[in-house]
């Protein structure tokens, strides 16, 4: 792994990616970072042995550029980078909602761009990263992006037209589960349990359910039915969820997240 990779705008996800790449065998000497604050850049050097550089230096020297700044800052960053990026550099965008065409219009003709939506479980090497090719990205470019993001979890290739839906499902997805755990913890307290015990019960139940979904091969309906006895506790709880429109609310929430991703793509920040 002798190619140089630069992570630009290295926040928590960018740092998690660097850490995962190092554990996967990348040499810290081949990893460059940029950060808005010099103290942050030095912190990354001390913690991981990577090399802090400026954005133009990264553009000139790295073989692959991973752009992890906020969507609203991407235009400014590209304006700074464009004069320095040769057309053979691979540019990987991790910004929600911004299409590859946004980059292709601002960079040298023929620049390969790959769009990736990952999520915060990258911090524990359990990310779901969704990868799409721009106009000039080849299968080799996609494979390289998979190699990088595979260091912190699973990857999945999709057409770029599906990226907004994937952002709604998995990019924002962890927040929905945290929200559900928060609500269930409050319910446990209402039912008379101490907060720490309610939390432990719910978290382990969530982990066990996720592993069953991943490993059993069963449809979630089947797994739910296995828990749902006639006239039992579970069916009564599910009836209340249906009465309160939880399924419809989830669908509406995901549609709202998808629509916001589209707004970001149109420049409506």
């Amino acid at each position: 792994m002798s190619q140089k990779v630069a992570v630009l705008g290295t926040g928590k996800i960018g740092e998690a990616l660097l850490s995962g790449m190092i554990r996967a065998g990348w040499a810290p000497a081949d990893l460059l970072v940029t950060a808005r604050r010099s103290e942050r850049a030095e912190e990354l050097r001390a913690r991981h042995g990577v090399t802090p550089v400026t954005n133009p230096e990264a553009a000139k020297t790295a073989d692959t550029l991973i752009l992890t700044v906020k969507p609203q800052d991407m235009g400014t960053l590209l304006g700074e980078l464009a004069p320095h990026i040769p057309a053979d550099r691979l540019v990987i965008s991790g910004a929600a909602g911004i299409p590859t065409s946004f980059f292709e219009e601002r960079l040298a003709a023929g620049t390969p761009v790959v769009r990736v939506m990952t999520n915060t479980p990258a911090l524990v090497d359990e990310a779901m990263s969704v990868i799409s090719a721009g106009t000039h990205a080849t299968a080799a470019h996609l494979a390289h992006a998979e190699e990088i993001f595979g260091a912190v979890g699973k990857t999945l290739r999709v057409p770029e037209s599906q990226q907004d839906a994937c952002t709604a499902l998995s990019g924002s997805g962890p927040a929905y589960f945290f929200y559900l755990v928060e609500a269930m913890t409050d319910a446990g307290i209402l039912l008379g349990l101490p907060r720490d015990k309610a939390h432990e019960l719910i978290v382990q139940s969530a982990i066990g359910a996720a592993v069953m979904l991943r490993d059993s091969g069963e449809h979630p309906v089947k797994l739910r039915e296995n828990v749902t006895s006639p006239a039992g506790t579970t069916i009564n709880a599910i009836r209340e969820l249906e009465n309160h429109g939880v399924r419809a609310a989830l669908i509406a929430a995901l549609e709202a997240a998808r629509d916001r991703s589209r707004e970001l793509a149109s420049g409506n920040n």
Side-chain angles (χ1 to χ4, degrees), residues 73-157:
D73 296 330
M74 193 62 78
T76 301
L77 176 62
L78 288 176
E80 184 181 2
L81 296 177
H84 308 288
I85 300 180
D88 62 348
R89 293 289 191 267
L90 172 59
V91 175
I92 298 176
S93 165
I98 301 183
T100 55
S101 59
F102 180 91
F103 300 85
E104 292 166 349
E105 291 166 0
R106 290 162 174 77
L107 300 174
T111 301
V113 180
V114 171
R115 179 176 170 182
V116 179
M117 172 49 58
T118 192
N119 57 17
T120 55
L123 297 168
V124 292
D125 292 347
E126 291 290 350
M128 182 71 252
S129 300
V130 184
I131 297 174
S132 302
T135 305
H136 309 293
T138 66
H141 293 129
L142 287 173
H144 187 51
E146 287 174 331
E147 180 184 20
I148 291 171
F149 283 85
V152 291
K154 294 188 67 174
T155 63
L156 178 69
R157 295 188 194 185

Side-chain angles (χ1 to χ4, degrees), residues 33-46:
V33 296
T34 77
R36 180 171 296 180
R37 296 180 296 105
S38 58
E39 314 90 82
R40 170 63 173 163
E42 288 305 317
E43 178 184 287
L44 292 167
R45 184 207 298 270

Side-chain angles (χ1 to χ4, degrees), residues 54-239:
T54 65
N55 289 329
E57 287 173 338
K60 293 174 186 176
T61 59
D63 301 289
T64 300
L65 302 172
I66 304 174
L67 312 185
T68 62
V69 300
K70 296 177 180 179
Q72 57 267 34
D73 296 330
M74 193 62 78
T76 301
L77 176 62
L78 288 176
E80 184 181 2
L81 296 177
H84 308 288
I85 300 180
D88 62 348
R89 293 289 191 267
L90 172 59
V91 175
I92 298 176
S93 165
I98 301 183
T100 55
S101 59
F102 180 91
F103 300 85
E104 292 166 349
E105 291 166 0
R106 290 162 174 77
L107 300 174
T111 301
V113 180
V114 171
R115 179 176 170 182
V116 179
M117 172 49 58
T118 192
N119 57 17
T120 55
L123 297 168
V124 292
D125 292 347
E126 291 290 350
M128 182 71 252
S129 300
V130 184
I131 297 174
S132 302
T135 305
H136 309 293
T138 66
H141 293 129
L142 287 173
H144 187 51
E146 287 174 331
E147 180 184 20
I148 291 171
F149 283 85
V152 291
K154 294 188 67 174
T155 63
L156 178 69
R157 295 188 194 185
V158 300
E160 188 171 10
S161 61
Q162 296 176 0
Q163 274 279 356
D164 291 323
C166 292
T167 297
L169 280 171
S170 67
S172 301
Y176 314 147
F177 288 98
F178 299 147
Y179 182 85
L180 180 61
V181 167
E182 178 187 1
M184 291 178 69
T185 301
D186 287 343
I189 295 169
L190 179 65
L191 296 174
L193 291 169
R195 177 175 294 276
D196 59 340
K197 288 185 170 58
H199 180 78
E200 184 174 357
L201 287 166
I202 295 161
V203 170
Q204 184 55 40
S205 295
I207 292 170
V211 171
M212 289 180 70
L213 279 167
R214 184 190 65 192
D215 296 347
S216 70
E218 296 281 4
H219 193 282
V221 170
K222 176 64 175 174
L223 293 174
R224 178 181 60 76
E225 287 177 345
N226 290 343
V227 189
T228 310
S229 304
T233 59
T234 306
I235 192 61
N236 275 273
I238 289 173
R239 180 185 63 183

